[in-house]
Amino acid sequence: MVSSGTGDNNSISRIMGYGSTPKHKVISLSEWIQNRNASLLEPKSNTSTPTLPVKQVTQEERELLDDEVNNKEREYDKLIELLEKKITIALKCYSLESDILSQAEELICETIDKYSLRLVGEVLSRIYIHCYDQPTVVAGICSSLERFDAIEVSPWGQSIVLGLINHKSDLVKERVISLIENWGDASLLPALRNIDISSTWMREYINGVIAYLEDKKCTM
């Protein structure tokens, strides 16, 4: 009940207790609003789900956790390096003429089965960077990627393609075009249109792949 007459107009009078001579406590209206707003902002506790006490992490526990994380990272880095060496050696012996599953492709499939396609993506991305000047190796990567769908190897597979599409080697360019055709990935059309080719037969090949992807894009 807001008090009237004498007294502060910006106040609320509340009756405290009962009896012949009631006692009053006058609260500032602005103070009451501030307290009310603060109570609305307080997190509501769910009585049916007790709040668990927050456990303080000691410096020793934090250091042990940091050591464990660092050890896991070192193990992962060593695994990546080992797989990179093994697959690179296999790719150096890669034959583009063979229709059978190559040693490199077998290693890639085994690694996916044991670990993950994502890990293989990291390994192949490193090989592509470190062996960019070795046409047989990077062409072998493109041929190996034909075993997979574009969605499966996205986005790292497309990154490799974009990095190789204007490679100085025609052999690599041919494998890149073949890979794009195999994937049927219309998102790579802009890169394919800008490929730098001097060979007449390869230009005809590219034009055919571009027409195929444009057709596919229109029907989607």
Side-chain angles (χ1 to χ4, degrees), residues 18-111:
Y18 300 92
S20 56
T21 308
K23 297 180 181 179
H24 296 78
K25 181 178 180 181
V26 178
I27 302 176
S28 165
L29 182 60
S30 58
E31 182 186 346
W32 178 81
I33 293 171
Q34 185 178 357
N35 291 338
R36 180 176 178 277
N37 289 344
S39 68
L40 290 173
L41 292 173
E42 288 177 0
K44 301 294 185 292
S45 60
N46 188 345
T47 53
S48 62
T49 307
T51 305
L52 294 174
V54 178
K55 182 184 176 183
Q56 295 296 324
V57 180
T58 65
Q59 182 64 28
E60 185 181 0
E61 288 174 327
R62 189 177 291 109
E63 288 174 359
L64 287 172
L65 181 60
D66 288 343
D67 288 342
E68 186 178 350
V69 170
N70 290 334
N71 287 335
K72 292 291 183 186
E73 287 180 348
R74 281 193 290 270
E75 287 175 10
Y76 183 81
D77 290 341
K78 285 180 181 177
L79 175 62
I80 293 291
E81 288 175 10
L82 176 65
L83 291 171
E84 182 184 352
K85 286 178 182 176
K86 287 175 70 175
I87 295 175
T88 299
I89 291 169
L91 284 168
K92 284 180 178 178
C93 304
Y94 189 78
S95 172
L96 299 173
E97 305 301 325
S98 177
D99 291 331
I100 63 172
L101 196 67
S102 68
Q103 184 188 0
E105 289 170 316
E106 284 181 2
L107 268 173
I108 289 169
C109 292
E110 286 171 10
T111 305

Side-chain angles (χ1 to χ4, degrees), residues 126-142:
R126 285 169 62 103
I127 295 173
Y128 138 69
I129 292 168
H130 295 152
C131 300
Y132 186 85
D133 61 343
Q134 300 178 47
T136 302
V137 173
V138 289
I141 291 175
C142 293

Side-chain angles (χ1 to χ4, degrees), residues 154-183:
S154 178
W156 57 266
Q158 285 79 357
S159 295
I160 291 175
V161 165
L162 292 173
L164 294 175
I165 201 160
N166 274 315
H167 196 281
K168 63 182 180 181
S169 167
D170 282 351
L171 169 66
V172 175
K173 287 178 182 176
E174 181 189 346
R175 298 320 305 168
V176 168
I177 298 162
S178 176
L179 176 57
I180 295 173
E181 180 185 23
N182 181 274
W183 281 348

